[in-house]
């Protein structure tokens, strides 16, 4: 900085929710930096705090509100001048959130992302911006998936932000080919990579399609360009994310687009692992299972959204399946990849759920032997079909069922980890702290599926190192493994 230059205004970004939100935050970071702001890690050093909220379920919304209030406290202490809400909760509730939270200086929706730097600058100069009025974003794109590509050019869709390549500062996006605005906010050797946005499913409990919009795939060229750029930033593993990854390519005119893309990603130099997430059981066709278990660099990891096992409950959810078909799918995966990691989520207490349905779900959880299972209590989300259904389960009963299922899931997960003792693992090193080397094996997804602590010959290992090790101990869902080879 020269003596005559003006210090850059500082902004701190807080990311809540899923890995998709992480990608959106990095788009916002790129836009802010390109617009003259400086990103800082410490909120107490920031003149503006921007909170990328989550609006999926009640607890996530509460966490978002609490984070906004905590940021507002910094204003009271004099260190921050503005608090801004963005992300899913801001998009979903817009002016309603703004009126109920005067502590936030602005509530910006997805349509504001393109000129977020200008809007933040105006906020910091005392201007009050009107909060957006929420709308059903499914109406912004054609009903027919293959007709959406051309129409998408005029719609704000986080993660599909095409910038003027010549005007982007170095380091913000791939240097050649399709360029998507992105600025990494961390140094992890793993990074989420968005394949698509939105969802065409009509699950009765879910409000996401209304505020995220209809399903839209990114082109393979864009995905590959961003993967190469991530590798240049030190990334060893890309975590493919979307609201529904198994639908990738439905709007590109090729239902095998994901299988082909996995092969193309595998050819990216410097990329070691490719991890796929957010799969629908009804869309896990045999060819996709085969590609995920045979393509070089694709780790055998299946994040399958079951949500329940009782057929009657699934029908009311506007989903389909039953224990036998789900177990057959798991057997298909494990027959091809015996060490595959499999995780899922289920909802307890959905309207009309009976004790028999709960027992059927419990039996499925015990028999499925999943590595990780998230158990959520049903909450009636406004604007969803489920909120209007009869036979709503009493909230105390919902919690009791959730807790019982969570206890069973914890027991099964611990057993699965114990069964892995003696397995030969490949581990990606993620942290080195106080002499402890911690990473993840191929069956462990980022942040949510447990970790593997390495012992033995760990001297000289670095974050991003890949090592071969033998699992020698389980501690809950976590493993301890002894190193016997490194590369």
């Amino acid at each position: 900085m020269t003596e005559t230059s003006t210090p850059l205004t500082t902004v701190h970004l807080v990311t809540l929710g899923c890995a998709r939100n992480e990608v959106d935050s990095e788009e916002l970071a790129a836009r802010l930096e390109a617009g003259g702001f400086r990103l800082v890690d410490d909120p107490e050093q920031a003149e503006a705090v921007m909170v990328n909220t989550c609006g999926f379920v009640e607890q996530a919304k509460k966490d978002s509100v609490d984070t906004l209030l905590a940021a507002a406290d910094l204003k009271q202490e004099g260190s921050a001048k503005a608090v801004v809400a963005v992300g899913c909760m801001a998009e979903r509730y817009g002016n309603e959130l703004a009126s109920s939270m005067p502590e936030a200086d602005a509530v910006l929706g997805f349509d504001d992302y393109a000129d977020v730097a200008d809007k933040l600058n105006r906020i910091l100069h005392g201007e009050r911006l009107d909060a957006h009025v929420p709308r059903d974003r499914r109406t912004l794109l054609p009903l027919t998936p293959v007709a959406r590509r051309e129409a998408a050019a005029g719609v704000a869709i986080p993660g599909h932000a095409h910038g003027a390549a010549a005007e982007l500062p170095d380091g913000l996006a791939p240097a050649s080919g399709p360029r998507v605005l992105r600025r990494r906010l961390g140094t992890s050797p793993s990074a989420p990579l968005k394949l698509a946005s939105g969802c065409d499913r009509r699950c009765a409990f879910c409000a996401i399609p209304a505020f995220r919009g209809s399903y839209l795939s990114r082109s393979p060229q864009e995905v590959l360009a961003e993967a190469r750029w991530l590798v240049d930033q030190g990334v060893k593993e890309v975590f493919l994310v979307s609201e529904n990854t198994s639908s990738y390519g439905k709007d590109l005119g090729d239902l095998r687009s994901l299988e082909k893309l996995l092969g193309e990603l595998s050819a990216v130099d410097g990329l070691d692992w490719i991890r796929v997430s957010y799969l629908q059981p009804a869309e896990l066709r045999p060819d996709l299972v085969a590609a995920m278990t045979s393509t070089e660099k694709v780790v055998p990891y299946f994040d399958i959204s079951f949500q329940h096992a009782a057929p009657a409950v699934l029908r009311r959810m506007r989903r389909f399946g039953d224990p036998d078909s789900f177990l057959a799918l798991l057997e298909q995966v494990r027959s091809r990849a015996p060490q595959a990691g499999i995780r899922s989520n289920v909802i307890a207490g959905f309207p009309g759920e009976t004790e028999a349905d709960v027992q059927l779900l419990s039996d499925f959880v015990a028999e499925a032997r999943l590595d990780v299972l998230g158990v959520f209590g049903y909450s009636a989300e406004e604007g969803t079909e489920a909120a209007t259904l009869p036979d709503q389960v009493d909230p105390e009963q919902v919690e009791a069922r959730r807790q019982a299922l969570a206890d069973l899931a914890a027991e099964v997960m611990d057993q699965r980890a114990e069964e892995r003792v003696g397995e030969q693992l490949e581990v990606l090193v993620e942290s080195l702290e106080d002499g402890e080397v911690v990473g993840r094996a191929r069956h462990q997804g980022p942040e949510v599926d447990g970790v593997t602590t390495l012992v033995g010959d760990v001297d000289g290992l670095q974050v991003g190192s890949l090592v071969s090790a033998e699992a020698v101990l389980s501690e809950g869902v976590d493993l301890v493994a002894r190193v016997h080879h490194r590369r």
Side-chain angles (χ1 to χ4, degrees):
M1 182 184 300
T2 65
E3 292 183 2
T4 58
S5 63
T6 302
L8 299 179
T9 303
T10 54
V11 59
H12 174 71
L13 260 170
V14 182
T15 305
L16 303 174
C18 64
R20 303 184 296 275
N21 251 17
E22 292 181 33
V23 179
D24 293 351
S25 283
E26 295 193 346
E27 175 191 332
L28 289 166
R31 290 188 179 280
L32 290 167
E33 194 163 272
F37 287 87
R38 180 166 65 89
L39 280 296
V40 294
D41 295 331
D42 186 352
E44 294 187 357
Q45 296 178 357
E47 295 165 78
V49 177
M50 184 170 288
V51 180
N52 190 353
T53 60
C54 179
F56 181 36
V57 293
E58 196 61 37
Q59 185 58 52
K61 289 182 281 188
K62 182 181 184 301
D63 292 343
S64 294
V65 170
D66 290 346
T67 303
L68 287 165
L69 291 174
D73 288 342
L74 295 176
K75 286 178 58 181
Q76 298 298 322
E77 298 165 6
S79 56
K81 298 177 182 177
V83 174
V84 178
V86 296
C88 290
M89 188 176 179
E91 175 62 37
R92 183 177 180 184
Y93 294 102
N95 51 357
E96 179 185 343
L97 177 62
S99 62
S100 64
M101 278 210 67
E103 296 87 352
D105 295 279
V107 175
L108 305 181
F110 298 152
D111 293 337
D112 296 308
Y113 282 20
D115 54 356
V116 67
D118 173 67
K119 291 192 173 178
L120 181 55
N121 187 55
R122 289 159 58 189
I123 294 164
L124 285 166
H125 283 83
E127 186 174 344
R128 297 293 296 185
L129 303 182
D130 291 336
H132 82 102
V133 178
R135 54 181 169 169
D136 189 336
R137 297 190 73 87
R138 290 172 293 191
T139 64
L140 302 181
L141 292 175
L143 184 63
T144 305
V146 294
R148 294 173 187 166
R149 307 301 304 168
E150 185 174 351
V155 178
I157 304 172
H160 297 246
H162 300 275
E167 298 175 2
L168 294 180
D170 291 340
L172 292 185
S176 62
R179 302 189 69 179
V180 175
L181 289 163
R182 186 166 181 180
R183 189 260 201 204
R184 290 208 77 199
L185 293 174
T187 58
S188 169
S190 176
L193 176 54
K194 187 177 284 191
L195 288 186
S197 291
C199 186
D200 288 342
R201 300 186 72 87
R202 294 296 181 264
C203 300
F205 54 82
C206 185
I208 288 176
F211 61 83
R212 275 291 184 178
S214 298
Y215 195 88
L216 185 70
S217 302
R218 295 178 65 198
S219 73
Q221 293 78 15
E222 290 176 20
V223 175
L224 289 165
E226 190 166 336
R228 296 186 186 101
W229 174 76
L230 287 169
V231 169
D232 290 342
Q233 304 296 305
V235 168
K236 300 294 185 181
E237 173 191 38
V238 292
F239 187 36
L240 305 182
V241 300
S242 72
E243 276 75 23
N244 179 9
T245 300
S246 44
S247 278
Y248 179 76
K250 62 184 286 186
D251 50 337
L252 300 177
D254 185 355
L255 290 178
R256 298 193 71 254
S257 293
L258 182 54
E259 292 96 307
K260 295 176 181 178
L261 179 61
L262 293 177
E264 293 171 321
L265 283 168
S266 185
V268 173
D269 290 339
L271 184 62
D272 291 317
W273 284 4
I274 302 160
R275 188 178 301 274
V276 184
S277 68
Y278 303 109
L279 302 166
Q280 294 293 333
E283 297 177 357
L284 259 178
R285 53 198 178 275
D287 285 352
L288 180 55
V289 173
M292 290 179 61
T293 53
S294 64
T295 303
E296 185 184 7
K297 298 184 181 178
V298 177
V299 298
Y301 176 82
F302 288 78
D303 177 9
I304 308 173
S305 177
F306 288 125
Q307 301 302 349
H308 212 282
V313 176
L314 288 166
R315 285 195 297 272
R316 285 193 294 274
M317 288 179 167
R318 293 198 179 274
R319 300 175 64 87
F320 300 94
D322 55 71
D324 289 343
S325 64
F326 290 166
L327 291 170
L329 174 59
L330 296 177
E331 176 57 31
Q332 179 186 356
V333 169
R334 287 169 172 150
S335 67
R336 297 189 62 93
Q339 288 186 310
I342 305 174
R343 68 161 291 126
S344 189
N345 298 303
V346 295
I347 298 173
F350 190 79
E353 182 188 65
T354 66
E355 292 295 341
D357 294 329
V358 175
Q359 186 60 55
L360 196 154
L361 176 56
S362 299
D363 292 344
F364 169 74
V365 169
E367 192 169 356
R369 298 170 47 252
L370 302 175
D371 291 274
V372 179
L373 180 67
V375 181
F376 297 89
Y378 169 76
S379 63
E381 291 296 311
E382 59 269 31
T384 64
E385 179 186 355
T388 68
L389 292 176
D391 302 319
Q392 299 281 326
V393 180
D394 180 81
E396 291 186 2
Q397 186 64 37
V398 171
E399 174 55 23
R401 292 177 181 180
R402 186 207 65 78
Q403 187 60 61
L405 278 167
D407 291 344
L408 173 60
E411 182 179 349
V412 171
M413 290 187 291
D414 290 354
Q415 290 173 357
R416 285 293 296 135
E418 187 176 358
E419 290 170 2
R420 290 189 182 274
V421 173
E423 281 189 4
Q424 302 303 307
L425 309 175
E426 185 178 43
V427 179
L428 176 66
V429 176
E430 292 197 298
S431 68
L432 308 169
E433 293 183 9
D434 301 325
E436 189 172 66
V437 182
V438 179
R440 285 181 295 107
R442 289 156 62 93
H443 71 277
Q444 295 170 320
E447 299 184 2
V448 293
D449 293 349
V451 298
T452 298
T453 300
L454 295 173
V455 297
D457 181 17
V458 298
D459 291 342
L461 289 178
Q462 302 294 321
V463 171
S465 295
L466 272 175
V467 300
S468 296
E470 180 181 348
V472 295
L473 180 68
S474 66
E475 299 175 339
V477 297
D478 299 329
L479 296 175
V480 177
R482 185 171 301 279
V483 176
H484 56 71
H485 180 67
R486 63 177 76 189
R487 66 178 174 91

